[in-house]
Structures are given as structure tokens and as C-alpha cells.
Amino acid sequence: MNKFEAVGRISKDLELKTSQNGKSVLKFTVATQRKFKNSKGEYESDFLPCVAFEKTAEFISKYFSKGSMIGVTGRIQTGSYTNKSGDKVFTVDLFV
């Protein structure tokens, strides 16, 4: 089973885009705070790269903004590409 759930805050301004085939796409990052403190006694956060499509993307971009608390569920998808320097870059995206 490939499923995740996360609750956190949207970390940047949202920008709804349209793909080449005409579908709405929204890429955004959710900052989630860890449950434990580090050695300095501070909470750290993880920044989760999320992708939403069509109605979900439109809904999020309409009703949420930077700093909004959001709960997301979806699946994890990995990938890779070769950057301009010729290095292979591995990616992890959370499809919500």
C-alpha cells in the first residue's frame, strides 16, 4: 500500500498552472513539525513537496494560501531526471 497523510502549513505562495494537455496542476510544499525536539531543544520541520491536479488543485489554490494549515492525503511517487550539469537527480513527490 502506498499512502501518506500529513498536516502542516503551506510554505510558499501558490501558483496554479495549466499542463500541456490542459489540466490544472498545483505544486506546493507543506511544512510539518516533528513531534520531538533536537539536541538544542527546538522543534524541526520537514518540507514535503506536494502535487495536486485538476479539481483538487483548483480547490487548494482558491481556498488556501501561504501559511494556511492544510491536511493532505495521497500517494508517494519517486522519479529521476538528468540536470543541465549531467547529474542524475532523484525526486520524491506526494500526489494529493
Side-chain angles (χ1 to χ4, degrees), residues 7-93:
V7 176
R9 295 196 179 275
I10 296 174
S11 65
K12 296 181 181 177
D13 290 328
L14 299 175
E15 184 179 346
L16 184 65
K17 295 186 177 184
T18 304
S19 68
Q20 292 178 351
N21 59 2
K23 293 185 178 183
S24 299
V25 179
L26 181 65
K27 292 185 177 185
F28 60 101
T29 303
V30 175
T32 60
Q33 188 177 54
R34 294 180 184 172
K35 290 185 177 185
F36 53 88
K37 294 180 181 180
N38 62 18
S39 60
K40 296 179 183 177
E42 302 167 337
Y43 289 104
E44 293 181 356
S45 294
D46 293 302
F47 293 83
L48 309 175
C50 299
V51 182
F53 296 97
E54 300 185 73
K55 298 288 183 189
T56 304
E58 294 165 10
F59 181 88
I60 293 169
S61 69
K62 183 176 180 179
Y63 294 105
F64 293 86
S65 60
K66 179 181 177 180
S68 296
M69 184 69 76
I70 189 169
V72 291
T73 60
R75 65 181 172 84
I76 299 170
Q77 183 170 311
T78 61
S80 65
Y81 66 93
T82 303
N83 66 14
K84 293 179 182 177
S85 302
D87 299 322
K88 192 164 190 169
V89 177
F90 294 93
T91 61
V92 176
D93 290 306

